[in-house]
Amino acid sequence: MYKIILIAFFSIVIQSDNEPVMSWSESYRLTWEDFKAKPKYNVSAVATTASGITFGFSVKQSDSRVISFTTEVEAHFYPEQSWYKADRADNHVLGHEQLHFDITELHARKFRKRISLLKITNDIAKRLRATHRTINKELAAFQNQYDTETNFSRNIEVQLQWQAFVKKELDKLDDFKSKS
């Protein structure tokens, strides 16, 4: 007899059931109209992109043995949690924010690749959760490094270097890109 166990995990940004999300797409670039939250004037930031990796999986078992598993990994942008200060934001800042979303997609691709290398074992659920935790830690560190090295987009030369680097890394993992 087959038994299916369905487990879903959501990370980085927790969303409510009714909160709109945008999935990363190669053909769509963010616009300021996508940033719906009220700006935070008590911080020095000009804009904030709320994005994260949504992850779910199901495991199929037969006689207490795992026989298969499926996963779903998406890079999402959360408009209701993303904001900008209209009086200080420009296209350069928007490009910086877009790259934050692109970095989320890059890590979703890395996650999909790691999942593709996993073998079916009885502890697959545990290994999927561990891989998910690891990729989220790497994503957070990468986002922080990006902001630090670009000085939150103020260092234009380094910003351009990051754009080229992320594009190259996305291209390397093209086989694992989001389907949307």
Side-chain angles (χ1 to χ4, degrees):
M1 168 181 282
Y2 292 118
K3 181 167 89 174
I4 296 177
I5 301 169
L6 178 62
I7 305 172
F9 292 92
F10 303 97
S11 66
I12 302 241
V13 178
I14 304 297
Q15 71 179 67
S16 69
D17 291 336
N18 297 328
E19 182 179 0
V21 298
M22 295 171 59
S23 294
W24 187 91
S25 171
E26 199 167 30
S27 63
Y28 184 79
R29 308 316 280 167
L30 295 173
T31 68
W32 287 127
E33 288 75 35
D34 297 322
F35 292 70
K36 307 284 188 193
K38 290 184 180 182
K40 297 184 179 169
Y41 288 101
N42 60 337
V43 298
S44 62
V46 175
T48 294
T49 292
S51 66
I53 296 172
T54 303
F55 167 56
F57 67 92
S58 65
V59 174
K60 191 172 186 180
Q61 293 182 322
S62 176
D63 298 323
S64 301
R65 203 178 102 247
V66 173
I67 58 173
S68 68
F69 70 95
T70 59
T71 61
E72 188 173 324
V73 175
E74 294 293 329
H76 283 150
F77 172 82
Y78 301 91
E80 301 294 333
Q81 297 179 44
S82 301
W83 56 266
Y84 74 104
K85 297 175 183 172
D87 59 327
R88 295 180 53 204
D90 58 20
N91 285 336
H92 176 71
V93 173
L94 182 60
H96 179 83
E97 297 307 313
Q98 175 66 53
L99 201 61
H100 275 294
F101 194 19
D102 294 344
I103 289 168
T104 302
E105 169 64 12
L106 173 61
H107 283 77
R109 291 181 189 192
K110 289 179 177 188
F111 189 20
R112 289 185 199 105
K113 181 178 180 180
R114 289 178 194 175
I115 290 170
S116 76
L117 300 173
L118 292 175
K119 304 289 186 233
I120 297 172
T121 61
N122 282 341
D123 70 343
I124 192 66
K126 179 180 175 182
R127 292 176 32 229
L128 286 166
R129 286 190 292 271
T131 305
H132 183 231
R133 280 190 303 275
T134 300
I135 205 73
N136 277 328
K137 287 177 186 172
E138 291 172 13
L139 172 58
F142 202 89
Q143 296 281 23
N144 288 334
Q145 181 182 359
Y146 167 54
D147 274 338
T148 300
E149 290 184 10
T150 63
N151 192 15
F152 301 90
S153 84
R154 292 180 197 104
N155 188 326
I156 294 171
E157 183 179 323
V158 175
Q159 176 71 33
L160 292 172
Q161 291 169 2
W162 268 89
Q163 288 170 341
F165 174 73
V166 170
K167 180 179 180 347
K168 185 175 99 179
E169 294 301 303
L170 284 168
D171 288 345
K172 284 182 193 176
L173 294 167
D174 194 58
D175 289 345
F176 298 95
K177 72 181 169 187
S178 290
K179 305 286 187 240
S180 47

